[in-house]
Amino acid sequence: MTSTAIPAHRASALHAWRDYDKDACALPGMSLGAVDLTAPPDEQAAQLWELGARRVEFTGEIDLTAVDDPTDADRAVRSLCLIRDLTARAVLVQWQLRLPPEPDDGWRDLSHLQPPRTLTGPADPAAALAEWRNGHYLCKCLWRQGPGFVQIRDRRWGELRRFTAEEPEYQQAIAQLSYGAPLRDVPPAIAADFLAERLVHRTGPLLWWLPYRVNRWIQEAMAV
């Protein structure tokens, strides 16, 4: 699957460590230092994994209330796609998120990602964040490529919702949206279907694909 790279107008940064445990990360040789996020998110996730990163912390807040400017939208989508791809690799991600107040359950669209450290926007952010943390597990919303079809398995809403796309144009749209694409560039009917099922997120002028592709199964694939 090919990615559509988003220009790195203003790169974010993160700090990375070689272990999940905070105390272990304080030991000599465990820190990977600060990492500038200038590579496309898929390449960045692979590079961090190969370097041994198992815990990362983003600097600054991802603010989805300030994405009308294309540059800010690009930056937010790059960061969110990287969080998605790191979640798929079971990397512990520490980040901060600010959402618009409407819709109040907008955080659920992102609830398959590693829960943020802080959440702003919902009417009761503490309750929303607690529910996100308590209900989070790996493989909550994923997709996988089969011979001639794509299957999405989504449990963000409490029950399993399964979608299978055999039409080539839907598979092409998923590839196009994997790392963000302008809404105007996506076939309207396909964009409407994905938005109705909340499989894409609209961030300013961009749409990006929410489910992550499985990198490591935590149990037998048929059980997920």
Side-chain angles (χ1 to χ4, degrees), residues 48 67 102 124 162 186 197 211 223:
L48 285 165
V67 290
E102 298 294 336
D124 189 343
R162 185 171 61 187
V186 184
E197 299 296 345

Side-chain angles (χ1 to χ4, degrees), residues 46-200:
Q47 290 168 4
L48 285 165
W49 181 261
E50 292 301 321
L51 286 171
R54 298 299 181 265
R55 181 190 188 101
V56 302
E57 181 175 349
F58 278 75
T59 61
E61 180 183 64
I62 298 176
D63 186 355
L64 296 186
T65 68
V67 290
D68 291 336
D69 183 275
T71 298
D72 294 327
D74 287 348
R75 188 184 187 195
V77 169
R78 287 173 61 87
S79 295
L80 288 165
C81 287
L82 180 57
I83 292 169
R84 179 198 63 197
D85 289 0
L86 290 172
T87 299
R89 294 176 181 270
V91 175
L92 175 61
V93 184
Q94 294 186 299
W95 57 299
Q96 301 174 73
L97 176 63
R98 181 179 296 272
L99 292 172
E102 298 294 336
D104 191 54
D105 71 341
W107 64 272
R108 293 187 187 277
D109 290 17
L110 306 175
S111 62
H112 60 304
L113 306 181
Q114 284 276 349
R117 189 172 58 190
T118 64
L119 176 63
T120 307
D124 189 343
L129 185 53
E131 187 174 352
W132 188 340
R133 288 173 175 167
N134 293 335
H136 180 262
Y137 51 87
L138 293 179
C139 298
K140 195 168 189 177
C141 182
L142 57 86
W143 72 277
R144 53 186 177 177
Q145 178 80 55
F149 70 93
V150 166
Q151 185 177 85
I152 301 106
R153 289 173 172 255
D154 183 5
R155 297 182 185 269
R156 290 173 295 167
W157 319 107
E159 75 280 354
L160 173 63
R161 299 181 183 181
R162 185 171 61 187
F163 311 93
T164 302
E166 298 178 349
E167 301 87 346
E169 58 268 28
Y170 278 80
Q171 298 177 47
Q172 292 165 8
I174 292 172
Q176 181 184 11
L177 292 164
S178 288
Y179 294 93
L183 174 61
R184 64 177 181 272
D185 293 347
V186 184
I190 295 177
D193 283 348
F194 286 161
L195 283 166
E197 299 296 345
R198 296 169 79 165
L199 295 174
V200 292

